[in-house]
Amino acid sequence: GLVVTQLDVQPGECVKVKGKIPSDAKGFSVNVGKDSSTLMLHFNPRFDCHGDVNTVVCNSKEDGMWGEEDRKADFPFQHGDKIEICISFDAAEVKVKVPEVEFEFPNRLGMEKIQYLAVEGDFKVK
Ligand SMILES: C=CCO[C@@H]1O[C@H](CO)[C@@H](O[C@@H]2O[C@H](CO)[C@H](O)[C@H](OCc3cn(Cc4cccc(/C=C/CN=C(N)N)c4)nn3)[C@H]2O)[C@H](O)[C@H]1NC(C)=O
């Protein structure tokens, strides 16, 4: 999927990805951080994959190692949705705004800028 490098998103700024969720989507992820091995946030809505159904799984990755997963209560996604995903952060947390719901996740790595964004799986970036 889409990979963007050389970004320089500062605290308080937001990076926005618009796209469509295919009608047969099993899952997708939006990853932000330094690079593919060092992620501030792996935001992974799962419709039906890895044994999860309609569950948003969030995690961080440090030097290629996954952290502790954080499974969210809300699942505001449906097949066929056209959505905007807005990601912003500060020293304490990362915020993911999607229609109707804002998810929060701790800034575990204390990252001070987002240089990398990658979208994977069943999300058609517009
Ligand atoms: C219970 C058994 C042990 O516990 C499980 O252990 C697994 C392995 O660690 C974790 O899973 C891992 O969790 C990680 C976060 O923590 C990442 O998400 C990782 O995926 C990385 C990854 C991303 N990508 C690209 C991608 C991303 C999204 C969709 C697709 C494909 C679309 C599918 N569309 C189809 N097929 N049409 C592809 N590939 N790999 C996932 O493997 C499970 O959560 C965890 N489950 C629980 C309940 O604890």
Side-chain angles (χ1 to χ4, degrees):
L2 171 79
V3 176
V4 183
T5 59
Q6 322 300 331
L7 285 170
D8 185 10
V9 182
Q10 297 292 314
E13 296 177 337
C14 85
V15 58
K16 189 187 289 185
V17 183
K18 293 173 75 167
K20 181 171 177 179
I21 300 171
S23 55
D24 60 350
K26 296 249 185 309
F28 67 92
S29 69
V30 179
N31 304 279
V32 293
K34 179 172 180 287
D35 53 37
S36 60
S37 302
T38 305
L39 296 175
M40 178 189 288
L41 175 63
H42 167 75
F43 179 74
N44 178 209
R46 298 178 179 180
F47 288 86
D48 181 6
C49 69
H50 298 296
D52 286 291
V53 174
N54 293 352
T55 306
V56 172
V57 175
C58 293
N59 206 342
S60 53
K61 189 184 256 191
E62 192 158 12
D63 298 333
M65 304 289 291
W66 289 113
E68 278 299 304
E69 293 189 341
D70 174 8
R71 278 173 162 69
K72 299 301 188 183
D74 296 298
F75 190 81
F77 306 107
Q78 289 193 324
H79 288 134
D81 278 356
K82 290 181 181 171
I83 61 169
E84 290 184 9
I85 301 171
C86 263
I87 298 174
S88 60
F89 74 100
D90 61 21
E93 62 192 358
V94 199
K95 286 193 173 115
V96 182
K97 272 199 195 112
V98 296
E100 313 296 319
V101 173
E102 181 176 283
F103 295 98
E104 293 181 357
F105 184 78
N107 183 353
R108 291 172 174 167
L109 283 56
M111 277 193 192
E112 296 173 345
K113 61 181 166 182
I114 286 171
Q115 298 173 274
Y116 167 89
L117 174 134
V119 180
E120 301 172 315
D122 307 318
F123 190 77
K124 184 151 179 44
V125 177
K126 290 298 170 198

